[in-house]
Amino acid sequence: MNALGIEGTPQLTATLDAGLDIAQLLSDYDHNRELSSFAANSIIAGGIVSTAITLVGAFSEPKATTDQLILENIASLSRQIESFRVEVHNRFNYIDDRLNNILMMTSKTF
C-alpha cells in the first residue's frame, strides 16, 4: 500500500507516491527558502530527480532475478541432457542390433 492506503499496480502506486513526494517538496520549499535560495532550489531539484528516477524504475520492464536466470539455465541444461540421453540410447540400440546380427551370422556359419 502507498501513503494513501490505496492498493493497485506498482505503476499506480509509484505515481501516487511521486505526486505526494512532489507536494511535500513544494510544501517544504517555503520553509527551506529561509536558508538560502540556492539551498532551497538544490533540495527541491534533488527531490524531483529522486522522484523521477523512482517513476522511471516503476514503468520500466522488470528484469529477471538471478534466481530466475539460474532456474532457466538449469531447465535448458535439463532439456539438453534429455536430448543427449535419447541420442545415446538410440545409438546403443543401433550397435546392439548390429552386434546381434553379427552373432546370428556367425552362429549360422559355424
Side-chain angles (χ1 to χ4, degrees):
M1 274 200 229
N2 62 7
L4 293 175
I6 299 173
E7 288 188 43
T9 65
Q11 292 87 3
L12 175 64
T13 303
T15 304
L16 291 173
D17 286 343
L20 290 173
D21 289 345
I22 290 174
Q24 185 64 43
L25 283 169
L26 293 174
S27 172
D28 291 344
Y29 180 73
D30 291 332
H31 301 298
N32 292 332
R33 274 194 295 174
E34 296 171 2
L35 300 172
S36 73
S37 169
F38 177 76
N41 289 339
S42 298
I43 290 170
I44 197 165
I48 289 174
V49 167
S50 173
T51 302
I53 290 171
T54 302
L55 278 174
V56 168
F59 284 93
S60 64
E61 290 291 322
K63 296 184 178 174
T65 64
T66 304
D67 291 342
Q68 288 172 329
L69 292 173
I70 290 170
L71 290 174
E72 288 172 7
N73 285 324
I74 289 172
S76 175
L77 285 171
S78 179
R79 287 188 298 272
Q80 290 174 8
I81 290 170
E82 176 61 21
S83 174
F84 178 73
R85 185 194 69 78
V86 168
E87 183 179 340
V88 168
H89 182 75
N90 290 337
R91 288 186 180 196
F92 274 112
N93 281 345
Y94 175 77
I95 292 170
D96 191 39
D97 287 344
R98 301 297 272 175
L99 286 174
N100 196 20
N101 287 340
I102 292 170
L103 178 63
M104 295 294 245
M105 289 170 61
T106 55
S107 67
K108 285 181 182 178
T109 31
F110 292 110

